[in-house]
Amino acid sequence: MSTSHMRTSQKRALIVGASRGLGLGLVETFLERGWRVTATQRTPSPQLAALASDALRIETVDIDDDAAVAELHERLGPQAYDLIFVVAGVATQAHDPAHAVPRAVAAQVYLTNAISPVRFAEAFRDRLAPGGSIALMSSVLGSVALNESGGWETYRASKAALNTLARSFEIRHRDSGIGVLLVHPGWVRTDMGGAEADIDVATSVAGMADAVEARLGTPGCHYLDYRGETLAW
């Protein structure tokens, strides 16, 4: 196969929120699998910069800033992506019950975790390649049916809202055959997950990459975990 043919046949991913943790791990994984990756950071990330590669482009954007997202859309030009994966999210005061979280904090968690990812998907929908998918980082904590333990109340609510908005987004664009994946990464040893979590970042991101590649371009809205198993809404 010629080098030029390999280059044109390479899959491309846009990974949003890749400065550390799971986003950074996904960038590493897709680069290792031969994808070309555009990765975004909210502020400069030495870890992301250290992945320097001809196949990696790094951009800076805050997904809570509509103007910044529009500028990114313009900067990236007409490039189409086989995968657009919005990882960015926050868990501010996640361990406090809803009534103990200041209204402004709870509202910001909702905006960043539910509204902003779907707004980003809407803004970049025209950059999705035929047969591609939009993936959004969700959580099993966003499942209403599986909430048997309580806790993490504002975070759970934000991810449940993300799931609902993503389903509505897919329905709104169903005529285009768009594929939307809501992905639970597992309970991972990151800054958010903590040291007691079940799995490491490498296990999570390898599983998520497998699950995403297996469903790439599948129409509909699918809620699944890093093992590729479907979750209850």
Side-chain angles (χ1 to χ4, degrees), residues 99-182:
H99 66 270
V101 178
R103 288 176 183 271
V105 172
Q108 189 58 60
V109 169
Y110 171 70
L111 287 172
T112 300
N113 288 0
I115 297 292
S116 293
V118 173
R119 288 179 81 101
F120 191 97
E122 192 66 56
F124 275 82
R125 187 177 60 87
D126 64 338
R127 296 291 186 260
L128 192 64
S133 290
I134 293 175
L136 306 172
M137 189 70 81
S138 186
S139 170
V140 70
L141 298 180
S143 168
V144 176
L146 298 177
N147 183 3
E148 302 285 348
S149 60
W152 284 66
E153 293 178 17
T154 52
Y155 183 81
R156 279 184 188 275
S158 72
K159 292 298 187 177
L162 172 66
N163 290 355
T164 294
L165 292 170
R167 286 188 70 163
S168 295
F169 169 82
E170 184 274 323
I171 291 164
R172 188 152 33 85
H173 297 298
R174 186 163 288 174
D175 288 349
S176 68
I178 197 167
V180 177
L181 303 172
L182 290 155

Side-chain angles (χ1 to χ4, degrees), residues 62-88:
D62 181 347
I63 63 166
D64 288 331
D65 183 338
D66 289 329
V69 170
E71 288 167 9
L72 176 68
H73 187 275
E74 185 71 21
R75 276 201 309 278
L76 295 180
Q79 179 61 59
Y81 299 93
D82 301 282
L83 173 66
I84 297 172
F85 199 149
V86 183
V87 179

